[in-house]
Amino acid sequence: MSDENTNPSDERTGHGSRGFEGVDLDEVVLDDTAEGNQGLFDDLLSGEPIFENKEVLRPSYTPHELPHRKEQINRMATILVAALRGETPSNILIYGKTGTGKTASAKFVSQELERTSLKYEVPCEVEYINCEVTDTQYRVLAQLANKFIENNQIEIGERISELQDIRDGVAAESDQLENTEFSSLNAIEDRISELEADADEMEAVPMTGWPTDRVYNTFFEAVDYQERVVVIMLDEIDKLVEKSGDDTLYNLSRMNSELENSRVSIMGISNDLKFTDFLDPRVKSSLGEEEIVFPPYDANQLRDILQHRADVAFKADALSDDVIPLCAAFAAQEHGDARRALDLLRTAGELAERDQKERVEEGHVRKAQDKIELDRVVEVVRTLPTQSKLVLFSTISLEKNGVHNINTGEVYNVYKHLCEEIDADILTQRRVTDLISELDMLGIVNAVVVSKGRYGRTKEISISVPIDETEAVLQSDSRLSDIDDIQPFMQQARFDS
Ligand SMILES: Nc1ncnc2c1ncn2[C@@H]1O[C@H](COP(=O)(O)OP(=O)(O)OP(=O)(O)O)[C@@H](O)[C@H]1O
């Protein structure tokens, strides 16, 4: 249906021929005539979809195959196999840059470990904690305690129902007792009551409010309630140390000397090895008993990884030949990050889909690269503290007003006016210079020190990100949106400096 042949009385249904972005939602009224049954989503659905299963390109998906990580996976398995022999595996520290497959490989090995432990009936459990989210000792111990309490209660429940079956059998025919470890019906009843009391006593740890030693003791008892080997996987372990020191690691690493029934082993994952410099030497040597490095992927390896995922994610022939090599090449420049490569491929597919194309082409990958980069900038700028936003806004305003080779003094003058206008504290020029250096480190501005001869040295600042988009993000901050016309003091700023 096109707009031209739409009956005037049906004009309100003209949205059927427009893409999603062209839809004026105020005008959307469903048409109940047979021809007008095309709804808001029909056109979008009717295009031949490019994706077969987009989910496999998302970060939440754990692949079953991890090309180019065989060596690291085998090392982990060689260390952790001790758990299946009932021994304590060495602690492992895994490190490597972001997107090098550390979490995916560790999760894969953990799943295999738990699967094999069930097969051979050797009790072994792996608990995963993301320390970026769970970043204090209290929260880590509480989360672990509650997980083990839950598992213990499930196992106790299963054991009670087994015993109840035995009890009922024995009650029916007394010779059934010979097949059990119990000497009488009463002994079975006693054991059932004991287990019920154990389960009742296991009190879950609240997410705040208990003294830390009580949380630790509850966790300790929950782990030691039964014989087993426990592997605690602490992903982004550096975030935990950064936020709350090494107490948690100290407590976890000395547990084995006190546990009677169980054994604990720690697997720490980090993309920053420097965090170990802040550890107590005993914790450092205990945690790093085994170290496994995940090197960045090169472009060829990224191609393989993408190809494996693309085979499942896309319809046959949906990718033109240069798409995967280009995604791999872009991501290889970004320190060999597989997450970036997968994001690029997924975003390129989405852009092609939005253009209602049947194939993803090289141009979509280039647009995807720009989009991802812009999304990153928007996120970084959006989450800057207000003072940094004011400094950035001042710099952008100068650049937009044709000022080149902007120096710190000019930025500072505009900044002061902005602060007065929105009633913010005015920082010293030295502090503003520091904020400019931080923006430089984030890649938002480029600040180079230049010599001014006998006038000393100054910084020349330029903006390294798309100016209009960045300005729009800054103006979306409610405090900065109050800023009226900046022009009047722009000239003044130059003059004053
Ligand atoms: N060898 C591989 N084969 C298939 N997919 C991979 C491989 N390596 C990484 N990936 C995928 O890349 C993405 C990032 O991997 P992962 O989360 O394991 O990286 P990481 O090293 O833990 O990164 P970070 O330090 O940022 O947490 C995930 O979607 C993962 O499935």
Side-chain angles (χ1 to χ4, degrees):
M1 180 171 51
S2 73
D3 279 355
E4 294 93 276
N5 62 17
T6 307
N7 180 320
S9 65
D10 280 338
E11 254 175 29
R12 58 205 168 104
T13 62
H15 60 264
S17 61
R18 282 181 251 167
F20 185 65
E21 278 160 2
V23 173
D24 177 349
L25 287 176
D26 286 336
E27 281 182 17
V28 174
V29 180
L30 288 180
D31 183 348
D32 47 10
T33 63
E35 273 186 20
N37 264 342
Q38 286 291 94
L40 174 61
F41 293 103
D42 292 299
D43 272 7
L44 295 170
L45 281 177
S46 64
E48 191 64 17
I50 282 180
F51 291 106
E52 184 75 49
N53 178 1
K54 203 199 293 184
E55 291 311 304
V56 304
L57 296 177
R58 293 202 183 277
S60 51
Y61 175 81
T62 307
H64 309 294
E65 267 182 288
L66 291 153
H68 305 291
R69 282 300 172 241
K70 204 169 169 195
E71 187 189 322
Q72 287 77 6
I73 287 175
N74 283 343
R75 277 247 1 243
M76 272 189 255
T78 313
I79 299 163
L80 292 176
V81 71
L84 298 172
R85 300 196 183 107
E87 297 156 7
T88 320
S90 301
N91 295 329
I92 308 176
L93 190 56
I94 293 174
Y95 61 95
K97 289 216 163 106
T98 187
T100 50
K102 303 181 294 295
T103 307
S105 305
K107 282 194 169 172
F108 171 77
V109 174
S110 310
Q111 282 163 5
E112 285 294 297
L113 182 66
E114 287 194 320
R115 203 174 57 80
T116 320
S117 88
L118 283 178
K119 186 164 133 196
Y120 293 107
E121 296 184 357
V122 190
C124 172
E125 282 174 42
V126 185
E127 292 306 337
Y128 173 86
I129 296 206
N130 182 344
C131 301
E132 183 157 30
V133 185
T134 310
D135 59 0
T136 63
Q137 161 151 255
Y138 187 106
R139 285 194 218 139
V140 170
L141 295 178
Q143 189 172 322
L144 287 170
N146 291 342
K147 196 71 206 150
F148 286 110
I149 287 173
E150 193 186 314
N151 291 351
N152 290 343
Q153 284 175 330
I154 292 172
E155 290 205 14
I156 289 175
E158 286 169 357
R159 181 69 183 139
I160 288 177
S161 68
E162 260 172 45
L163 289 176
Q164 283 167 339
D165 287 348
I166 296 174
R167 176 194 63 193
D168 297 345
V170 171
E173 288 177 51
S174 56
D175 64 347
Q176 293 280 322
L177 205 55
E178 284 155 25
N179 304 327
T180 75
E181 74 237 53
F182 298 99
S183 56
S184 67
L185 199 54
N186 279 348
I188 304 175
E189 290 290 2
D190 288 351
R191 183 70 191 126
I192 292 176
S193 312
E194 240 172 59
L195 287 170
E196 282 171 345
D198 281 355
D200 286 347
E201 255 176 40
M202 290 178 186
E203 187 186 354
V205 182
M207 272 308 150
T208 54
W210 280 12
T212 311
D213 56 350
R214 182 171 174 202
V215 185
Y216 176 78
N217 290 337
T218 307
F219 159 63
F220 186 95
E221 278 165 24
V223 173
D224 211 25
Y225 183 73
Q226 50 186 303
E227 241 175 65
R228 63 184 147 199
V229 176
V230 167
V231 179
I232 298 175
M233 220 166 118
L234 298 170
D235 203 352
E236 317 257 0
I237 190 171
D238 48 312
K239 300 279 168 24
L240 175 67
V241 174
E242 191 183 301
K243 176 85 192 287
S244 42
D246 60 3
D247 289 352
T248 322
L249 302 179
Y250 179 75
N251 285 327
L252 291 177
S253 62
R254 76 187 172 98
M255 273 179 85
N256 281 334
S257 55
E258 288 163 29
L259 288 165
E260 284 178 9
N261 301 315
S262 60
R263 288 283 166 267
V264 167
S265 150
I266 307 169
M267 194 196 280
I269 304 178
S270 170
N271 46 29
D272 175 15
L273 193 63
K274 284 205 219 84
F275 86 95
T276 57
D277 296 348
F278 303 102
L279 298 178
D280 176 304
R282 282 167 300 177
V283 179
K284 186 173 173 173
S285 68
S286 153
L287 193 65
E289 282 171 343
E290 296 279 354
E291 291 186 349
I292 305 180
V293 184
F294 278 60
Y297 296 114
D298 64 27
N300 289 334
Q301 293 171 328
L302 288 170
R303 269 188 211 199
D304 284 346
I305 293 170
L306 289 177
Q307 192 63 57
H308 270 76
R309 299 286 263 277
D311 290 344
V312 190
F314 289 94
K315 295 253 176 212
D317 296 330
L319 299 183
S320 64
D321 289 346
D322 35 15
V323 165
I324 286 184
L326 192 58
C327 290
F330 277 143
Q333 284 165 13
E334 295 268 337
H335 63 252
D337 180 347
R339 181 182 294 112
R340 177 66 174 248
L342 288 161
D343 275 355
L344 263 174
L345 187 58
R346 193 193 68 244
T347 310
E350 285 170 350
L351 292 174
E353 199 176 42
R354 202 176 297 170
D355 286 352
Q356 307 211 336
K357 293 281 189 297
E358 284 176 7
R359 299 191 90 197
V360 189
E361 307 284 346
E362 183 191 323
H364 295 119
V365 179
R366 294 189 187 280
K367 273 197 199 146
Q369 171 82 344
D370 291 347
K371 180 176 183 304
I372 290 173
E373 187 49 29
L374 187 60
D375 287 351
R376 183 192 78 83
V377 170
V378 166
E379 192 48 26
V380 172
V381 173
R382 200 180 57 76
T383 51
L384 285 174
T386 306
Q387 287 289 348
S388 301
K389 283 184 178 167
L390 286 166
V391 172
L392 180 59
F393 197 57
S394 311
T395 319
I396 287 186
S397 306
L398 284 159
E399 190 147 326
K400 283 195 88 167
N401 280 276
V403 181
H404 301 296
N405 306 333
I406 303 165
N407 64 44
T408 319
E410 289 163 339
V411 174
Y412 190 63
N413 286 335
V414 178
Y415 159 84
K416 276 191 300 187
H417 286 290
L418 292 184
C419 289
E420 278 162 13
E421 183 139 336
I422 67 162
D423 220 6
D425 290 343
I426 301 178
L427 303 179
T428 60
Q429 181 155 345
R430 172 180 282 263
R431 186 68 195 108
V432 167
T433 308
D434 290 344
L435 294 182
I436 293 172
S437 302
E438 282 173 28
L439 292 172
D440 188 10
M441 279 192 306
L442 289 169
I444 298 175
V445 302
N446 182 26
V448 283
V449 178
V450 290
S451 169
K452 289 273 174 185
R454 63 196 179 90
Y455 297 110
R457 297 188 319 157
T458 184
K459 272 188 176 165
E460 274 185 9
I461 307 151
S462 56
I463 303 287
S464 328
V465 289
I467 291 192
D468 291 337
E469 286 85 349
T470 309
E471 188 184 40
V473 179
L474 290 170
Q475 281 170 330
S476 68
D477 182 311
S478 58
R479 291 199 74 184
L480 274 69
S481 64
D482 290 344
I483 296 170
D484 289 333
D485 192 6
I486 198 165
Q487 293 295 340
F489 44 78
M490 204 48 72
Q491 274 311 99
Q492 185 69 26
R494 279 237 92 167
F495 184 73
D496 288 350
S497 77

